[in-house]
Amino acid sequence: MSSPSGQANGGQLSSRQSRIVGALLGLHAGDCLGATVEFLPRVMIARSYPQGVRDIIGGGHFDWSPGHATDDTDMTRGVLLAYKTLHDARTEGTRDSNSTMTNGEGADLDVARLAGENFLRWVDGEWPDRTPGWLPKDMGGATARGLERYRVSRDPERAGAGQGSAGNGSLMRCLPTALFQPDRHKMIAESIRISKITHDDFRCTTACAVYNSIAAALIDGVSVENAVDHGEAVAIRLERRMDGPVMQAVRRGRQVDVADMAANGAPIDMEGECSGYVLETLTVAVAAVRDARSLEDVLVDVVRIGRDTDTNAAVAGGLLGARDGEDAIPTRWKEKLQFGKEFREVALAMATA
Ligand SMILES: [Mg+2]
């Protein structure tokens, strides 16, 4: 379903570049589409939007302007720019002036710490369209607790909100690792380490590694079913059993249907009703990417499910964009996205082929 995409840097994108850009913009678009009805239950969304939210119109609980990033896109940007810093340092042969980020001669910059520093900039208001000193208006509780620990330790291994905090706040931002770390072993390790900055619960760290394994396979042009198989294999390895909770969440994603959930609600075993539990968000994303309809129709239905609409759609949108490429994202959505142009430029600076 992928196709070469529009003009950029004076030329057409390769299908791989299109999938990489599509993944980032799919996440951003899902976030902004869902922001309008964040926290609302399905029945209230159905009453106000009988056809679903089909355009990026802003508003919602936090009164966003249309296309404004919420925490999902903001923190994804934090990870994306960490990879950009790493990329620039390697290509230019320079080091970040903050030498605490290196471990000595020949050591690489630590992308997780670079991401952590960007998260702190976001918290502190050193961010586009924000006032320095003002907290983000939509920061989640586990993210706040995890980042305060990180602020003290500056160490991803001594941060995070602890076991038992299993929200989707790291899953929502993990995608750039799948796109810009080509070594699969490092990709899994970095997905886990970046999650730990805020969400060190095993379900969260594993979900990030599994999700990114699916995304990376899609970027490589692997079929959806085989990409999900990759994710299951990583879940089995990390959970050291065949039926661990993350494995079960992926398997559940192969059973549930997004359109059915949009019309009738989440199945009874998804007790959180897609309100932010990391494994329910992962299940929805797997179901979404297996849904053969257009990216637009699937994302609209993910939002119709209700509750944590922006994050569910952001996480699903990342996989759908990786599956279908940039052209699958409606132009009327793309032109609204706060960081759309930046994400595209940064991605293409790193994804040169
Ligand atoms: Mg959000």
Side-chain angles (χ1 to χ4, degrees), residues 29-185:
D31 177 27
C32 295
L33 191 72
T36 300
V37 290
E38 185 179 4
F39 306 128
L40 295 182
R42 183 183 58 84
V43 289
M44 283 186 67
I45 297 171
R47 208 173 295 151
S48 300
Y49 302 93
Q51 310 304 317
V53 179
R54 300 209 70 94
D55 289 295
I56 291 175
I57 55 176
H61 180 81
F62 296 105
D63 195 23
W64 301 108
S65 58
H68 199 289
T70 87
D71 54 352
D72 312 73
T73 301
D74 277 336
M75 296 191 79
T76 297
R77 180 173 182 265
V79 180
L80 175 66
L81 295 184
Y83 280 96
K84 179 67 163 52
T85 299
L86 197 61
H87 175 266
D88 290 349
R90 284 176 178 161
T91 54
E92 295 164 16
T94 57
R95 290 285 184 208
D96 192 291
S97 59
N98 185 349
S99 62
T100 60
M101 291 181 186
T102 65
N103 296 321
E105 192 175 349
D108 282 330
L109 290 167
D110 181 346
V111 73
R113 290 191 188 191
L114 291 171
E117 298 304 312
N118 287 338
F119 296 159
L120 291 181
R121 291 187 184 101
W122 169 69
V123 171
D124 294 338
E126 297 167 27
W127 206 255
D129 299 335
R130 289 267 309 287
T131 305
W134 287 64
L135 290 172
K137 57 185 174 182
D138 62 332
M139 181 163 51
T143 295
R145 291 194 300 278
L147 280 177
E148 284 316 302
R149 286 195 69 209
Y150 178 79
R151 190 190 291 279
V152 175
S153 72
R154 291 303 212 263
D155 179 357
E157 303 295 334
R158 291 184 293 137
Q163 297 298 315
S165 286
N168 53 20
S170 62
L171 183 62
M172 73 186 189
R173 62 159 201 256
C174 68
L175 181 63
T177 305
L179 310 181
F180 304 113
Q181 176 46 271
D183 180 303
R184 287 296 171 90
H185 291 288

Side-chain angles (χ1 to χ4, degrees), residues 10-28:
Q12 285 233 318
L13 303 193
S14 69
S15 56
R16 181 183 179 83
Q17 286 173 317
S18 175
R19 289 192 290 269
I20 289 172
V21 172
L24 289 170
L25 299 190
L27 182 149
H28 196 333

Side-chain angles (χ1 to χ4, degrees), residues 265-306:
I268 196 159
D269 61 298
M270 294 174 73
E271 296 171 355
E273 299 178 348
C274 304
S275 61
Y277 176 40
V278 62
L279 296 187
E280 291 186 351
T281 301
L282 180 62
T283 292
V284 169
V286 170
V289 78
R290 292 187 71 254
D291 192 318
R293 294 178 294 159
S294 70
L295 175 148
E296 176 178 351
D297 286 346
V298 178
L299 276 189
V300 168
D301 269 356
V302 168
V303 171
R304 288 174 68 208
I305 297 170

